[in-house]
Amino acid sequence: FVAGRTCAREALHALGYPATALPVEEDRRPAWPDGVVGSIAHSGEWATAIAVDRGRFAGIGVDLEQDEPLEKDLYAMVLRPEERQLLSQSTNPDFSAVDVAKLIFSIKEASYKAVSHRIGRWVDFQDASVSITFEDREFVTSFLSSAVTTDEPLTSARGTFGHAEGYVVTVAYLPGPGCF
């Protein structure tokens, strides 16, 4: 927790904000300054944070997971039927079928962080479907229409993923006004 907040303070400093403590919302989400969207992740011995101007992105999320197989008993909770097909269809040598399940878990975590501040709640794993382009290390998370409701149309998040030091790292974003 402390390491994640330290990373967040550094991310804010890089945007030109003074070094101050980042308050905690009631649901333990960080309370980013007005005009900023950001995200914190920590796992094992590592922590990271990302912060960007709200004019550039409407939401951003980062996730960091130890690169270990997702427990099989979590498959039913995390994976939708169309995502289970990705487990056997992946031909990318960087990811085994089990690693793809963990990657989908991490993608959904990052995507939920990107959208949660906009809708004011967390989204269930079954409320989103992930498609992955392994060659480009890109993904799209499509939200079910009934799961994510805002005053603006919000149908998907995009992002990228990779490996670092035995961890799966994912970053999801919602484009801001006039972007992309």
Side-chain angles (χ1 to χ4, degrees):
F1 181 87
V2 173
R5 296 300 166 138
T6 300
C7 291
R9 205 169 26 255
E10 291 295 321
L12 286 171
H13 180 71
L15 288 177
Y17 286 83
T20 60
L22 194 61
V24 180
E25 300 279 2
E26 286 183 25
D27 62 1
R28 294 187 43 99
R29 285 184 297 154
W32 297 93
D34 287 341
V36 173
V37 292
S39 181
I40 298 173
H42 44 82
S43 179
E45 297 178 6
W46 290 93
T48 189
I50 188 169
V52 296
D53 291 318
R54 188 178 301 271
R56 187 163 178 212
F57 294 99
I60 197 154
V62 63
D63 190 57
L64 181 66
E65 298 290 336
Q66 291 181 343
D67 190 8
E68 299 170 351
L70 183 69
E71 296 175 23
K72 295 254 187 210
D73 61 339
L74 295 178
Y75 278 30
M77 179 181 77
V78 174
L79 302 173
R80 295 181 51 82
E82 64 272 17
E83 294 165 340
R84 287 177 185 253
Q85 293 178 3
L86 290 172
L87 302 183
S88 61
Q89 293 177 357
S90 172
T91 57
N92 188 301
D94 291 339
F95 295 94
S96 69
V98 173
D99 294 329
V100 172
K102 186 63 159 272
L103 175 61
I104 292 170
F105 175 87
S106 184
I107 288 170
K108 287 186 176 188
E109 288 287 320
S111 298
Y112 299 157
K113 289 177 182 181
V115 74
S116 68
H117 81 278
R118 295 228 10 233
I119 63 172
R121 65 177 179 81
W122 292 104
V123 180
D124 187 72
F125 284 106
Q126 294 296 313
D127 290 336
S129 179
V130 171
S131 61
I132 302 171
T133 306
F134 288 98
E135 301 77 31
D136 298 329
R137 295 187 180 259
E138 295 178 344
F139 65 84
V140 175
T141 302
S142 299
F143 299 106
L144 302 180
S145 60
S146 60
V148 180
T149 53
T150 65
D151 53 348
E152 302 173 22
L154 181 58
T155 58
S156 64
R158 298 185 155 289
T160 188
F161 61 90
H163 282 119
E165 302 292 326
Y167 287 84
V168 173
V169 182
T170 56
V171 177
Y173 65 89
L174 306 173
C179 293
F180 308 97

